[in-house]
Amino acid sequence: MTKKRSDNVTKGIERAPMRSLFYAMGYTEEELERPLIGIVSAWSEIIPGHINLDKVAQAVKTGVQEAGGTGIIVPSIGVCDGIAMGHVGMKYSLPSRELIADSVETLANAHQFDALVLVPNCDKIVPGMVMGACRLDIPAVVCSGGPMMSGLVDGCETSLSKMFEAVGARKAGLIDDKKLLEFEQNTCPGCGSCSGMYTANSMNCLCEAVGIALPGNGTVPAVSSKRTMLAKHAGMAVMDMYNKGITARQIINEKSLRNALACDMALGCSTNTVLHLLAIANEAHVDISLDTFNEVSKITPNLCHLAPAGPTHMHDLDHAGGVQAVLAELNKKGIIDTNQMTVTGKTVGENIEGVERLTDEIRPIDDPYMQTGGLQIMWGNIAQDGCVVKKSAVAPEMLKHTGPARVYDGEEEAIADIYDGKIHDGDVVVIRYEGPKGGPGMREMLNPTSALAGMKLDKTVALITDGRFSGASRGASIGHVCPEAAMGGNIGLLQDGDIIDIDIENGKINAEVSDEEFAERRKAYVPHEPKIKTGWLRRYSKMVSPSCKGAVMNDED
């Protein structure tokens, strides 16, 4: 019999002390004979998407035991981006991804788990766990907690993006306190990851598309009994992977990541997927770049317009057939590689055999919303190493825009002027020193974008930042500008009144400033230091790579 990793803590005379510690927790000899499966649960009482993960993890454990393994639940941290939004807490969101990846590696190697089931749900927790699994390269399955149902206000489905936009509407006097309270109490009706195609649901869908999660992972609602069934099957699936010797990096490779990119473009996912897929590729030893995103976008139609791009939500996508139906639609034009293995033990092609879209929430591939993908990578003299916009959530009239820069050295300054009515039609709001190093931590800018949308300025005002945007942002919200201001990027040299030319369709973004003028300004330019110089973020700021490389921790010698 092949030696198990867990034999290092359960077998032989020398391991008697280790076994005694297992017995102290109530494990039996029979349980220690079986493969030890780490179930990494991010359950907590501070994240709506994670409040149900204790039940999901227990269901996974049942599935593991049914299939002959011993499931062991261990913890992971997590940050709720919605609660962390708009204050210093958001600086910790993206960096938490690295801590999560490190903790998965630590827990699995310290205790010699034979395989892992990863139980995340929100934002950075999903990619952080997948990064850890790729680093370890042992059998692994992602089983997320599922999306939240949409809320209901004025008889219309609503979600967190509309809640943030309601703040802007209240500031502009378009709604009163009573209506704002109605949004507060009816937008988020229960557990699950916020109900639009925001970052959490984007990554849960892409885990399914890349093959590391079972069909349904991205769309089955958190409150559905099917989520519990899915979790049990995830436990069984990881045992099947273990028995067959299938590991994370056999699932996640260059071709399967391109499948995920195509699904990303078809779904119209969050711009944060760019950071996370680059980071996962890095851990999987796969070479993809920003150019790869545009290559895939050029051949991939955009088939879905979920919130914030449209009025529908994740349960609507589930009713339409979910991610598998999107993959089946893409396969009609040969856009995906159907030979890639998945955690079902079957190939992508076998998984989608006979699957069809059931509603127009998934458009036919011959009648898409756009002929190209939902994301657009852009370059120019203020983004020489690239930036990204969620093109599918941009009003047609803003795909080309020229206007004067309104420059701010941080989110707080910008949001104050937006709320005070100092931003006008045609302006281009520039928020800098919010990148991975300069923030530090690369905060999301949902407050400014939603304020603009709530004030009915999303179709006349653009926003550019070296920070990033929530998946709930819509409008001409251009993020990840690289090089960032703190690294000497030209975004740091912009001045109020500089004319900014934005051409999203052609992937161009430029300031009407000559190279000579930029060179002259640079002579007197001293980049700001990071705004936090203590604790974990100090170390992060020193070690983090640029956003165009996925903002991963650079631990090269």
Side-chain angles (χ1 to χ4, degrees):
M1 183 176 178
T2 305
K3 178 181 171 66
K4 307 191 300 291
R5 275 169 52 101
S6 59
D7 287 350
N8 292 324
V9 295
T10 62
K11 297 293 186 184
I13 296 171
E14 299 87 351
R15 303 309 182 211
M18 290 77 167
R19 290 194 295 274
S20 74
L21 294 170
F22 278 100
Y23 296 144
M25 294 180 281
Y27 290 96
T28 65
E29 290 183 64
E30 292 81 3
E31 287 175 304
L32 298 187
E33 285 293 324
R34 302 169 187 160
L36 302 186
I37 311 301
I39 302 169
V40 187
S41 170
W43 175 83
S44 75
E45 294 183 334
I46 193 60
I47 307 176
H50 290 198
I51 197 75
N52 65 322
L53 294 189
D54 54 341
K55 298 176 178 63
V56 175
Q58 284 295 336
V60 169
K61 187 173 181 177
T62 298
V64 168
Q65 290 169 330
E66 285 285 329
T70 297
I72 300 174
I73 298 174
V74 294
S76 167
I77 67 164
V79 171
C80 178
D81 279 16
I83 294 174
M85 195 70 65
H87 56 87
V88 69
M90 180 47 69
K91 294 179 183 290
Y92 289 86
S93 175
L94 183 60
S96 74
R97 187 189 69 183
E98 312 307 302
L99 291 178
I100 291 161
D102 289 350
S103 69
V104 169
E105 176 192 2
T106 300
L107 287 163
N109 279 340
H111 305 106
Q112 291 294 284
F113 293 136
D114 295 299
L116 296 173
V117 180
L118 308 167
V119 185
N121 209 22
C122 292
D123 295 278
K124 265 52 66 190
I125 300 93
V126 181
M129 287 191 181
V130 175
M131 289 163 65
C134 288
R135 191 181 301 172
L136 291 159
D137 196 26
I138 61 177
V141 175
V142 172
C143 181
S144 301
M148 185 185 292
M149 300 299 289
S150 60
L152 197 67
V153 176
D154 294 333
C156 298
E157 287 187 10
T158 190
S159 56
L160 192 65
S161 55
K162 293 294 185 183
M163 179 68 253
F164 274 89
E165 290 175 17
V167 175
R170 178 65 189 89
K171 290 284 187 178
L174 300 176
I175 62 173
D176 58 18
D177 288 339
K178 182 179 179 181
K179 179 58 68 177
L180 184 64
L181 182 62
E182 185 179 347
F183 271 99
E184 284 180 45
Q185 296 182 341
N186 294 282
T187 292
C188 299
C191 67
S193 48
C194 296
S195 58
M197 188 55 79
Y198 311 145
T199 304
N201 291 323
S202 294
M203 290 309 302
N204 288 328
C205 287
L206 297 188
C207 283
E208 191 177 330
V210 83
I212 199 70
L214 293 175
N217 180 74
T219 59
V220 171
V223 295
S224 171
S225 62
K226 290 182 180 179
R227 180 59 56 174
T228 303
M229 297 177 199
L230 185 74
K232 291 176 181 178
H233 284 128
M236 298 175 193
V238 82
M239 289 305 301
D240 184 56
M241 290 181 71
Y242 169 77
N243 291 328
K244 293 176 178 176
I246 300 172
T247 64
R249 291 211 299 262
Q250 290 173 355
I251 300 288
I252 299 179
N253 54 52
E254 182 177 3
K255 291 179 180 178
S256 68
L257 279 167
R258 281 183 171 266
N259 283 349
L261 285 177
C263 190
D264 191 341
M265 299 302 169
L267 288 170
C269 290
S270 162
T271 53
N272 282 312
T273 59
V274 176
L275 288 172
H276 300 325
L277 289 176
L278 288 171
I280 290 167
N282 177 69
E283 296 290 356
H285 304 166
V286 173
D287 184 20
I288 66 171
S289 68
L290 293 183
D291 291 300
T292 314
F293 284 81
N294 272 1
E295 288 171 16
V296 175
S297 180
K298 286 178 182 177
I299 62 170
T300 309
N302 176 231
L303 305 180
C304 300
H305 264 191
L306 289 92
T312 55
H313 299 88
M314 294 305 294
H315 60 87
D316 298 300
L317 178 59
D318 191 56
H319 293 158
V323 172
Q324 299 303 305
V326 172
L327 294 175
E329 205 64 26
L330 294 176
N331 190 45
K332 291 179 180 179
K333 291 199 172 179
I335 294 171
I336 59 169
D337 188 327
T338 57
N339 294 318
Q340 295 306 300
M341 181 55 62
T342 73
V343 296
T344 63
K346 300 177 182 179
T347 64
V348 171
E350 290 171 324
N351 287 341
I352 64 175
E353 188 173 350
V355 173
E356 297 180 358
R357 65 182 192 90
L358 302 177
T359 75
D360 280 340
E361 181 47 52
I362 303 169
R363 295 283 284 270
I365 197 159
D366 290 324
D367 184 27
Y369 285 103
M370 299 186 299
Q371 292 295 335
T372 56
L375 298 181
Q376 176 73 52
I377 307 299
M378 306 168 67
W379 284 272
N381 66 359
I382 54 174
Q384 292 153 310
D385 292 335
C387 59
V388 62
V389 64
K390 187 171 182 174
K391 183 170 66 174
S392 60
V394 179
E397 55 265 46
M398 288 299 290
L399 291 172
K400 284 192 176 183
H401 180 78
T402 298
R406 299 292 306 277
V407 181
Y408 301 94
D409 290 342
E411 179 186 8
E412 288 83 0
E413 295 178 12
I415 195 69
D417 272 10
I418 293 171
Y419 284 158
D420 287 346
K422 296 179 180 179
I423 302 301
H424 306 291
D425 289 345
D427 285 346
V428 178
V429 177
V430 177
I431 304 178
R432 59 194 183 190
Y433 294 105
E434 292 287 4
K437 284 187 179 292
M442 203 176 184
R443 286 193 290 184
E444 289 183 341
M445 302 287 149
L446 180 56
N447 275 357
T449 59
S450 58
L452 291 171
M455 294 175 172
K456 309 300 182 185
L457 293 171
D458 57 300
K459 295 181 180 180
T460 59
V461 172
L463 198 154
I464 301 171
T465 181
D466 53 10
R468 58 196 179 91
F469 293 107
S470 164
S473 292
R474 62 186 174 98
S477 304
I478 300 163
H480 308 192
V481 168
C482 195
E484 62 175 288
M487 295 186 71
N490 283 350
I491 189 173
L493 304 178
L494 293 177
Q495 298 176 359
D496 276 339
D498 285 343
I499 300 301
I500 309 295
D501 294 319
I502 298 168
D503 184 351
I504 293 174
E505 290 283 17
N506 292 301
K508 296 179 180 179
I509 180 167
N510 290 284
E512 294 182 7
V513 178
S514 67
D515 292 343
E516 292 76 16
E517 175 61 20
F518 271 138
E520 193 63 30
R521 292 181 188 182
R522 190 172 297 282
K523 292 177 183 178
Y525 176 65
V526 179
H528 296 188
E529 293 186 0
K531 297 165 187 171
I532 294 181
K533 302 176 184 178
T534 59
W536 146 240
L537 288 186
R538 177 180 179 274
R539 185 164 72 254
Y540 178 83
S541 179
K542 287 181 176 294
M543 298 180 67
V544 69
S545 70
S547 58
C548 61
K549 301 292 186 182
V552 298
M553 294 289 279
N554 186 353
D555 55 3
E556 296 177 0
D557 295 333

